[in-house]
Amino acid sequence: MEKSTMNKDVRLSCRNIWKVYGPESDQFFEGGNGVVDDPETLAENMAKSDHIVANANVSFDVHVGEIFVIMGLSGSGKSTIVRCLSRLVEPDAGEIFLDGEDLLKKTSSELIEIRRHKMGMVFQSFGLLPHLNVIDNIAFPLKLQGIPEKERYAQAERVIELVGLQGRESNFPKELSGGQQQRVGIARSLAVEPDVWLLDEPFSALDPLIRKKMQDEFLRIQSLLHKSIVFITHDFQEALRIADRMAIMRDGKIVQIGRPVDLILNPVDDYVREFTHDVPWESILRASDIVEKPDGPIEGMGRVSGDTSLASLLSYLSDHEEGVIVEAKDGSVLGIARGQGLLSALALGCAIGPAHVKV
Amino acid sequence: MNWFGIILVTLLLIALQDKWSWISEYPDAFILPITGWLNVMMDWLVSNLGWFFMGVSWFLEWPIQSVQWALHALPWAATTFIFCVLAFVASGWRLVFFTLASCLYMVVIGYWPESMNTLSLVAISVPLAILIGFGVGVWGFYSSRAERMIMPILDMLQTIPVFAYLLPILMLFGFGTVVGLIASILYSFPPMVRNTIVGLRQVLPEVIESGVMSGATPRQLFWQVRVPSAHKQLLLGVNQSTMASLSMVIIASIIGGTSDIGWEVLSTIRKAQFGESLLVGLVIALMAMVIDRITAGMATRSDDYDRENKTWVQRHRYWIIAAIGTAIVFALAQMVTVLSAWPREMEFSPAREMNEALTYFIINFRAEIESIKTFAFFFIMLPTKIGLQGAISPFTWGFELKTWHVIVYTISMVTLALLSGRRWGIKINILVLLLALFLYIGVTKMPWPAMVLICVFAAWRMGGRNLALGTFLGLIFLVVTGMWFEAMLSVYLCGIAAIISFVLGTAIGIWASTSEKVSSIIRPINDTLQTMPLFVIIIPFVMVFKIGEFTALLAIIAYSIVPSIRYAEHGLRNLPEGVIEAATMMGGTNRQLLWQVKIPLALPVMMLGLNQTIMYAIAMLVIAALVGTNGLEQLVYIGLSDGDFGLGIVAGAGMAIIAIIVDRMTQAWSKKRQAQLGLEV
Ligand SMILES: Nc1ncnc2c1ncn2[C@@H]1O[C@H](COP(=O)(O)OP(=O)(O)OP(=O)(O)O)[C@@H](O)[C@H]1O
Ligand SMILES: [Mg+2]
């Protein structure tokens, strides 16, 4: 169903997850794999009988090294699904596979092992321990594992450097700004070197400037560590900047999954269009705004003029991974335009790259 | 049925009480012999399970003895040094000086050994109370069923007068220091339970979840995430438990057998050695303040240690300083005897001078003291107690109560009620009528069915059906156990004290809320009064006014005025900004602002202050039994001194019932009012 099925292994996969809150929420399923004939009607019936359907039939895969973003309005079930993935919340039905193993079948002691070594989570409201200073907060998961003090401080120092908090080791959470606290939260979740990283609106509590900086740092960290990431956000611009693929949720259901460009180009309905709507740059920006240096032979690629609007380029680029040659009025080659560059431009809302690239 | 109906029925009952005497006095024949039953039960318990309790008692003697031994073996200088280090860790140099001065005071006036006896009891009872309190609190936190069971028991333990449960402990565990220990544990573990439950519950869910995601096992989650995150609240519990324990240890010494500070205070009061009793009382107060400041300091201390850059020695520096310092002081004390045993001839006590000064004062101001006493007695206490109808006589007021007086009184009160009703609404109208009625009849002369009716109806209006039912059952208990009259005596004394405290205290609180200067003067006084053991507060009043109800009244006011002041100031200082600004912008004068905006908004908080004032008044009333009152508290005290277990417990339960009813009523009212105003306290 997706265009870019990366040729990589699936790390985390959830199949037909259901989570219902309400007076008799356990009447609908007794465990089971959550596969039902008509999920739409079932969810409607649940809602009618005064239940809150936090997750309905949610399925997606997260590949190795991929950033998977989930978006949706408040209350659409985003937090619930990541809490299901981490089993902070028990789904009513469905299956979750981590590296091919069924997570829901794990005993609580196996689960503790998984959380200690494979999974990290960052919380919207940080969840720092108020009685521990920065370094102890970060080393806390290691302490729980019984790792000796020296080793765990060494490891904590490494991640502190990663998030740029050197010099604040002995501060207590209440002495830090929101952005700094969130870095502690990020560092703590990284201290155990997890394969799977769950982030629930990690940057929502931050002001726009700091948020932007944190996004940069996040991308930098990811380029170093290559985790498999589930990232929740409210902010489409943020999603554009960081997502490999993304899902949009509504009323507990997934409405659409795809690359950001797919969502912009082919929104399945108005709800999705609403999200992508805020980004009008495609009609403002021109092809010449996004040219970059070609990194290979450019023979046989299509050519467009520099003042072509990005809106009219979108569909072409989504079908041609390699990009398109952009030429100036006089026919000289400015460079090539690619899907990724286009996305970055949309995300930033401004021109990037040198204006003229002579080949 | 409304208030006017109730008032009519009351008038009817008053009119009928001459005809049917059961209205004015519950017939003796119908009194349930609960007291007797309880005594039988207790005897059975003592003779059949006595060995068990004695065993426990024997077992508990050991730690007390050893701590006592240790505290006596240590030279006073060494103990003082340890306390000073603690004070420094908890707060800083100022507290060190205060601690040092307090310790020196105890030494110099020659009460060091007695102080250490008291301290050793506290030192055993506090850890036990905290352990028990924490355990029970954790249980209550995890099981809401358990919580529902625990809470009423805590209410009872904290409201049943201390004297009432000294006796059963005495009977079960035998004479000795253990009685004080157990009583103090029973009294001091409830605050720990409450704080534990609140603290554990307050931990943010994200913190818990982040602990889970860090891979904590359930045990790690509890001990390394939940408990440390709640540590401020837990330490607050420790502080409150310690204070409760100390006050109970002091009170428990009333049964004697321990040569501790509480006993010294009591015996000096009994011997009318007022100078001495005040000086010893000050020891208790200082001890309480030092312990309070140290534990409170620990609770709010911001830990600024930085583990990884420090060596072992740096990390444990306070322990090391304490250990080495104590060793040095100990060694010094072996050479310089003054440091271990303060010589008698160096003791300094201004007690004699104080006694003489007091005698001088009393002799020279006898007339003034007497006239204050008589005035208060004839014109305030007597009318409340037996009503104007009984209080007015040629001997007291200088004239006889005639029919035309009554008519004038009735007409003027009804007019007053109508006028104030017109101005402030129907509720005030009713309030004035009821007060006028009570003032005429007297609290103790009001027929019991009328009183029950009024209280139950008020409870129903304030808190709904359950509260009304509870109130009814509680009051009926007082009636059928034959303690109604004593109960009303308690209500009367507490009532006057609470009203005076509330009015005066609120006025002071309002004043303090408008002036930083006043506020900064009042605050330390309040703090001191609140940490002062109840015994000590009584002393100065007994000195001047001798034993009697008036002295009791003054002591109760002195103690119970504190919450009224505090809550009034707090309520006025923490109003929603927007409202005040809006009212200021409408051009309100300061006076209008105060009376028409601030006070109505702060009223719910002030009501909580009233609630606390009444609770404090009841707590003090129990102790005031020592200076001669006649209510339930005296029955409790008599029960204790006569060894009548049943009487003590029933009267004690009676006091707890009154306290709990008043508490629930004022809280219900305050909550309702807050909800209407959309405020949160
Ligand atoms: N413990 C709970 N009990 C009952 N209902 C719950 C519970 N947790 C979540 N819900 C409901 O489930 C729905 C989804 O909640 P969820 O927290 O997943 O939303 P969200 O998409 O994360 O929203 P936000 O963007 O505001 O964080 C909401 O309607 C919420 O009220
Ligand atoms: Mg959420």
Side-chain angles (χ1 to χ4, degrees), chain A residues 26 37 83 108 112 117-118 127 145 176 200 227 260 294 339 343:
Chain A
D26 41 3
D37 293 340
R83 279 181 162 65
S108 49
I112 287 174
H117 301 293
K118 286 193 156 179
Q145 297 174 26
L176 300 177
D200 187 353
K227 310 270 179 216
L343 280 181

Side-chain angles (χ1 to χ4, degrees), chain B residues 241-258:
Chain B
S241 281
T242 312
M243 296 315 286
S245 163
L246 184 63
S247 74
M248 189 59 171
V249 164
I250 302 287
I251 292 170
S253 57
I254 193 169
I255 56 164
T258 53

Side-chain angles (χ1 to χ4, degrees), chain A residues 83 86 88 112 115-116 119 121 123 125 127-131 133 136 140-141 143-144 153 157 170 172 188, chain B residues 206-207 209-218 220 224-225 228-229 231 302-308 315:
Chain A
R83 279 181 162 65
S86 58
L88 285 171
I112 287 174
R115 286 172 181 153
R116 285 184 173 182
M119 242 184 213
M121 183 155 173
F123 295 85
S125 41
L128 302 183
L129 299 171
H131 64 289
N133 60 18
D136 282 328
F140 185 69
K143 187 178 173 205
L144 292 180
Y153 281 146
E157 288 289 357
S170 52
F172 282 84
R188 177 179 59 187
Chain B
E206 296 82 30
V207 172
E209 283 185 341
S210 75
V212 172
M213 284 312 290
S214 301
T217 61
Q220 287 175 324
Q224 299 195 29
V225 179
S229 300
H231 85 289
S302 70
D303 346 40
D304 51 5
Y305 57 93
D306 162 0
R307 224 171 266 170
E308 22 108 53
R315 254 185 276 157

Side-chain angles (χ1 to χ4, degrees), chain B residues 114-254:
Chain B
E114 287 83 359
S115 312
M116 289 306 106
N117 282 343
T118 299
L119 189 65
S120 58
L121 260 189
V122 175
I124 298 292
S125 101
V126 168
L128 284 177
I130 286 168
L131 269 181
I132 296 172
F134 182 73
V136 175
V138 170
W139 187 37
F141 168 73
Y142 278 113
S143 149
S144 58
R145 266 241 305 281
E147 195 196 348
R148 276 200 300 278
M149 211 172 67
I150 293 166
M151 283 306 166
I153 298 180
L154 297 190
D155 282 345
M156 280 311 242
L157 281 174
Q158 286 185 304
T159 46
I160 287 186
V162 179
F163 292 150
Y165 53 82
L166 276 180
L167 186 66
I169 299 173
L170 196 67
M171 294 169 92
L172 290 173
F173 294 93
F175 257 100
T177 34
V178 171
V179 178
L181 178 68
I182 292 177
S184 106
I185 292 175
L186 279 182
Y187 184 64
S188 60
F189 88 88
M192 189 65 200
V193 177
R194 292 181 202 275
N195 279 291
T196 303
I197 294 181
V198 171
L200 293 181
R201 194 163 285 161
Q202 266 174 357
V203 178
L204 297 173
E206 296 82 30
V207 172
I208 300 299
E209 283 185 341
S210 75
V212 172
M213 284 312 290
S214 301
T217 61
R219 177 185 299 240
Q220 287 175 324
L221 194 66
F222 183 74
W223 288 110
Q224 299 195 29
V225 179
R226 209 182 270 280
V227 171
S229 300
H231 85 289
K232 287 252 155 87
Q233 194 77 31
L234 293 177
L235 283 173
L236 201 65
V238 170
N239 175 265
Q240 289 175 4
S241 281
T242 312
M243 296 315 286
S245 163
L246 184 63
S247 74
M248 189 59 171
V249 164
I250 302 287
I251 292 170
S253 57
I254 193 169

Side-chain angles (χ1 to χ4, degrees), chain A residues 21 52 54 73-80 201 234:
Chain A
Y21 289 109
I52 296 169
L73 294 181
S74 198
S76 57
K78 308 180 296 294
S79 297
T80 308
E201 302 190 30
H234 264 137

Side-chain angles (χ1 to χ4, degrees), chain B residues 249-514:
Chain B
V249 164
I250 302 287
I251 292 170
S253 57
I254 193 169
I255 56 164
T258 53
S259 64
D260 63 1
I261 283 291
W263 176 249
E264 289 297 327
V265 176
L266 264 178
S267 54
T268 47
I269 290 184
R270 284 187 184 143
K271 282 183 269 177
Q273 300 171 323
F274 293 123
E276 285 85 348
S277 66
L278 197 64
L279 288 177
V280 189
L282 193 58
V283 171
I284 300 180
L286 288 175
M287 206 147 116
M289 281 194 262
V290 168
I291 295 181
D292 178 50
R293 301 284 146 84
I294 289 181
T295 47
M298 296 278 185
T300 51
R301 193 166 73 114
S302 70
D303 346 40
D304 51 5
Y305 57 93
D306 162 0
R307 224 171 266 170
E308 22 108 53
N309 295 330
K310 286 194 174 145
T311 59
W312 187 88
V313 173
Q314 278 171 320
R315 254 185 276 157
H316 299 93
R317 60 188 184 283
Y318 294 124
W319 292 104
I320 295 170
I321 292 173
I324 295 180
T326 312
I328 292 175
V329 176
F330 191 88
L332 267 180
Q334 304 308 315
M335 292 178 274
V336 189
T337 41
V338 180
L339 291 182
S340 60
W342 193 260
R344 279 250 155 232
E345 59 276 12
M346 277 173 71
E347 275 172 17
F348 169 77
S349 161
R352 222 178 44 163
E353 289 78 4
M354 288 166 71
N355 286 340
E356 279 162 9
L358 179 74
T359 320
Y360 175 83
F361 176 80
I362 291 178
I363 290 173
N364 281 284
F365 292 91
R366 177 177 285 154
E368 284 82 355
I369 294 173
E370 280 306 313
S371 61
I372 293 177
K373 242 168 119 170
T374 349
F375 177 82
F377 191 69
F378 287 164
F379 296 100
I380 299 175
M381 299 172 71
L382 213 50
T384 330
K385 192 170 171 181
I386 54 175
L388 292 173
Q389 55 160 357
I392 298 179
S393 73
F395 170 66
T396 53
W397 289 46
F399 61 88
E400 211 163 331
L401 194 67
K402 303 229 177 60
T403 318
W404 69 269
H405 288 131
V406 179
I407 293 172
V408 169
Y409 177 77
T410 313
I411 291 176
S412 53
M413 282 301 152
V414 169
T415 322
L416 184 69
L418 285 178
L419 283 179
S420 52
R422 192 113 140 252
R423 180 107 164 69
W424 292 295
I426 187 86
K427 278 188 191 151
I428 300 299
N429 185 340
I430 289 159
L431 197 66
V432 172
L433 279 183
L434 276 176
L435 284 179
L437 193 62
F438 269 102
L439 190 60
Y440 183 74
I441 301 292
V443 174
T444 56
K445 297 282 177 196
M446 186 63 90
W448 63 267
M451 193 74 176
V452 172
L453 188 67
I454 292 172
C455 290
V456 171
F457 190 71
W460 179 65
R461 294 302 290 264
M462 286 181 196
R465 230 190 33 218
N466 285 343
L467 188 60
L469 188 69
T471 306
F472 178 74
L473 290 177
L475 293 180
I476 288 301
F477 175 83
L478 294 177
V479 172
V480 299
T481 49
M483 297 186 305
W484 182 259
F485 181 67
E486 282 82 5
M488 286 308 110
L489 282 176
S490 297
V491 168
Y492 129 79
L493 199 57
C494 251
I496 310 184
I499 290 173
I500 296 178
S501 290
F502 182 64
V503 172
L504 213 62
T506 305
I508 297 175
I510 292 174
W511 190 26
S513 79
T514 56

Side-chain angles (χ1 to χ4, degrees), chain B residues 631-643:
Chain B
L632 280 180
E633 67 282 359
Q634 196 62 30
L635 288 186
V636 176
Y637 189 52
I638 292 172
L640 176 63
S641 42
D642 289 359

